[in-house]
Amino acid sequence: MLSGLEAAELPADAIEVGRISDAWGIKGWFKILPYSANPEALFSSKHWFLLPTEKGVKTFSGTVQMAVKEVKEHSDTVVACARDVDDRNAAEALRGARIFVSRASFPAAAQDEYYWVDLIGLNVVNRQDEDLGIVRELLSTGPQTVLVLEYQQDGKPQERMIPFVSAYVDEVDLAAKRIRVDWLADY
């Protein structure tokens, strides 16, 4: 196992937030490829859980935990350093590692803002209490985000898309696992 990494169990609420793309400099820093345009979870967590790369050479196995010392934006990328990753060789050995963070360590979302991961799996109903489907994923189309719902019709899986904007979304109730929208089933 690599120095500075200790065997750990992946938390039940772990979310994959990025991967280590390469070493950066000679003092053990490494570049991160975040999966979010606003990678706040990378910045807020002092412990990352790593799984080995899915392709290429694996320099460790199983789940390991890394103590993060510093994470910062540099030019158009995110770079980080960790305890006991002291030189370029140690940083290069992490290349491709998948980074997971406990959902509990994410910063609190602002009023009327939501982490996508919290919306996936929610039931969507309209003002008439018709079940429109379950959120399977979200898409960023540039100007807006779109909910991609999955539902059954005549025993066959179907897909429905609803813009995730205030004109159509009346309420998001995370506790009840429901989103209420102004949208008809036949749109």
Side-chain angles (χ1 to χ4, degrees):
M1 184 171 311
L2 295 172
S3 173
L5 302 179
E6 54 192 66
E9 190 162 321
L10 197 62
D13 68 343
I15 306 295
E16 188 170 0
V17 294
R19 69 177 173 83
I20 297 174
S21 62
D22 207 353
W24 185 70
I26 60 171
K27 295 184 179 180
W29 285 72
F30 41 91
K31 291 181 185 180
I32 306 295
L33 175 63
Y35 294 158
S36 170
N38 298 316
E40 296 303 318
L42 285 168
F43 293 99
S44 68
S45 181
K46 296 301 175 195
H47 293 279
W48 294 348
F49 296 88
L50 304 180
L51 287 175
T53 181
E54 293 175 321
K55 300 176 182 175
V57 177
K58 292 175 178 34
T59 56
F60 65 95
S61 62
T63 303
V64 296
Q65 185 173 349
M66 170 189 288
V68 179
K69 290 195 301 192
E70 187 176 351
V71 184
K72 62 184 181 180
E73 292 188 55
H74 179 76
S75 297
D76 60 347
T77 192
V78 176
V79 295
C81 65
R83 189 179 74 222
D84 298 325
V85 179
D86 299 324
D87 61 29
R88 185 171 183 87
N89 290 339
E92 285 176 343
L94 298 172
R95 187 181 296 135
R98 299 164 54 208
I99 303 168
F100 291 78
V101 172
S102 169
R103 172 62 184 91
S105 69
F106 282 32
Q111 179 71 27
D112 293 330
E113 289 186 358
Y114 304 94
Y115 287 106
W116 285 15
V117 68
D118 293 338
L119 300 176
I120 294 171
L122 296 187
N123 190 46
V124 180
V125 296
N126 63 16
R127 291 178 175 175
Q128 294 75 27
D129 283 325
E130 295 175 301
D131 186 5
L132 299 179
I134 304 290
V135 179
R136 186 184 70 218
E137 65 179 303
L138 290 98
L139 298 175
S140 178
T141 63
Q144 65 192 15
T145 299
V146 175
L147 298 170
V148 180
L149 310 182
E150 189 172 88
Y151 66 100
Q152 296 285 322
Q153 185 173 354
D154 300 325
K156 295 181 181 175
Q158 302 290 318
E159 184 177 271
R160 175 179 285 128
M161 295 186 182
I162 301 174
F164 190 65
V165 295
S166 61
Y168 301 114
V169 177
D170 292 337
E171 174 191 34
V172 175
D173 186 341
L174 294 176
K177 298 184 179 277
R178 183 185 63 238
I179 300 173
R180 185 169 299 281
V181 296
D182 181 13
W183 199 265
L184 296 177
D186 59 356
Y187 282 179

